[in-house]
Amino acid sequence: MDIQLTNTLTRRKEPFVPADPGRVTMYVCGPTVYSYAHIGNARPPVVFDVLFRLLRHVYGEKAVVYARNYTDIDDKIIAAATKAGEPMEAITRKFERIYEEDMGALGVLEPTLKPRATENIAAMIAVIEKLIAKGAAYVAPSGVYFSVGADEDYGKLSGRSQDELKAGARVEGEDDKRHPSDFALWKASKPGEPSWDAPFGAGRPGWHIECSAMIEEELGSPVDIHGGGVDLIFPHHENEIAQSETAHGHPLARVWMHNGFLTMDKEKMSKSIGNIITPRELLDRGWQGETIRYALLSAHYRAPLDWSDDLLEQAQKSLDRLYGAVLRLKDAAAVEAEAPAAFVKALADDLNTPAAIAELSALVTAANNARKPADQARAKAELLAAAHLLGLLQDDPEHWFRASFGNEAAEIDRLVAERVAARAAKNYAESDRLRDELAARGVEVMDSATGSTWRRKS
Ligand code: AMP
Ligand code: ZN
């Protein structure tokens, strides 16, 4: 199976050829752990989780090494810790845990490696020393800076011209930079801030060097795939490239992938704008994790995705249809099946999740139309195998329909049990009355040889 991926570096969709098919490496920039992730922050981990699943399907589970880091030292974390009057680690560990709970709810698999910046400081210091020795970085009173003039290709990922870059961003407290585009590798710490000893002066790492060093330490470069949100192309990924390639003399990553923004009313969802919704709020409001995941995968990863309640409702309806098919075939024999080729092909075409979802829908139609037990068993197994690659249909169908009714589920169970008892007692008037009451609640009861189950009426 050929995988095609759009490479931000070449601006083309190209066949994906890992350096070593026995060890495929992927690095995705993870969260800065100082507050709750919003649903936009959840887009990269969910999108790259689908890629992780696809790579494992193609190259084998053991062959794919996926690292997603925690940025646990950063200005925003220091500010949050100071404000809360707590040690930095109390904040970062708390939000790491919350992040993992949220990702678990969204069906995101554990990455192979989850390095923390604070546990790789020595590797960061080593890269910075190398850059200083090469004359590509210099020590100033406020910190150590990378000299962008030392990198001829600087700007190649974002496509920014040297002129555009000359304007550069002025950053407060960095007045001793030689050039406005130079960026901090190491920042001298102010009193009371966390600080690590280094040959070039005590301080803490800049954000970009964290990822460069963790990639080198955890995976080795070049990695096959490096990913993140589109806002990371510049300056974060541009600077990762500049540092790593200048230090090591070879590419940092072979394929660069970037997901588009999640928006609300067409505006980027972001903490600074304040238009955020967290997965946590949605789960508390009774939405199921898979519904949120489905909504996140309903657009192509490179396209913008406008978030709304309507999007969630559509996702819930689509998933009800998928789970309905599985529930109807609940008694079909369990057989082994692979995800059908048309489905995998859609996913392998630059992770075209909308096309893959359309293939899932076709599999549901096939499952609903299957009559012979062997066809039913195969249709169900193919549907489940395909859905698994998207991280969908991971729930038990009966539990799925129960959960979508929230607290009402227990009462529905009681009514269904009463109806079973009424039928057993041949009290058909009562049984019909109960069926009508359930129907009024939007519940359809399905009777089979092994008992009665229920689901949301479609
Ligand atoms: P941050 O914690 O802000 O560094 O963001 C973590 C990840 O979420 C990065 O890969 C960002 O590119 C990504 N991200 C942030 N906001 C959005 C958004 N509105 N839509 C999609 N991705 C986003
Ligand atoms: Zn990064």
Side-chain angles (χ1 to χ4, degrees), residues 311-333:
L311 181 73
L312 279 168
E313 270 153 31
Q314 288 303 324
Q316 163 100 47
K317 277 204 188 102
S318 304
L319 278 168
D320 281 354
R321 180 165 177 265
L322 299 184
Y323 274 109
V326 181
L327 189 57
R328 213 167 297 117
L329 297 180
K330 134 175 128 69
D331 298 327

Side-chain angles (χ1 to χ4, degrees), residues 1-5 16-18 21-22 24 50-64 338-339 341 343-345 347-349 351 389:
M1 175 61 63
D2 283 346
I3 299 179
Q4 304 262 335
L5 299 173
F16 173 65
V17 187
V24 183
V50 173
L51 182 54
F52 183 38
R53 288 168 187 262
L54 175 68
L55 293 170
R56 283 158 48 115
H57 177 74
V58 173
Y59 297 98
E61 283 199 8
K62 294 221 170 69
V64 186
E338 287 264 328
F343 173 87
V344 181
K345 199 164 162 240
L347 217 48
D349 178 13
L351 227 54
L389 275 176

Side-chain angles (χ1 to χ4, degrees), residues 27 29 69 207 211 226 232 236-237 240:
Y27 183 90
C29 296
N69 74 290
W207 174 33
C211 285
H226 190 317
L232 299 189
H236 185 52
H237 289 165
E240 281 186 29

Side-chain angles (χ1 to χ4, degrees), residues 28-45 48 71 76 99 207 227-233 236-237 258-264 267-271 275-276 296 301 305:
V28 173
C29 296
T32 305
V33 274
Y34 70 104
S35 71
Y36 292 92
H38 59 67
I39 201 78
N41 297 137
R43 196 174 186 195
F48 289 100
T71 294
K76 288 183 225 145
Y99 186 80
W207 174 33
V230 67
D231 54 334
L232 299 189
I233 295 176
H236 185 52
H237 289 165
H258 295 96
N259 65 272
F261 283 139
L262 186 130
T263 58
M264 262 209 317
E267 192 171 30
K268 180 194 175 190
M269 184 177 284
S270 94
K271 278 176 200 137
N275 59 344
I276 62 168
L296 285 169
Y301 77 92
L305 172 64

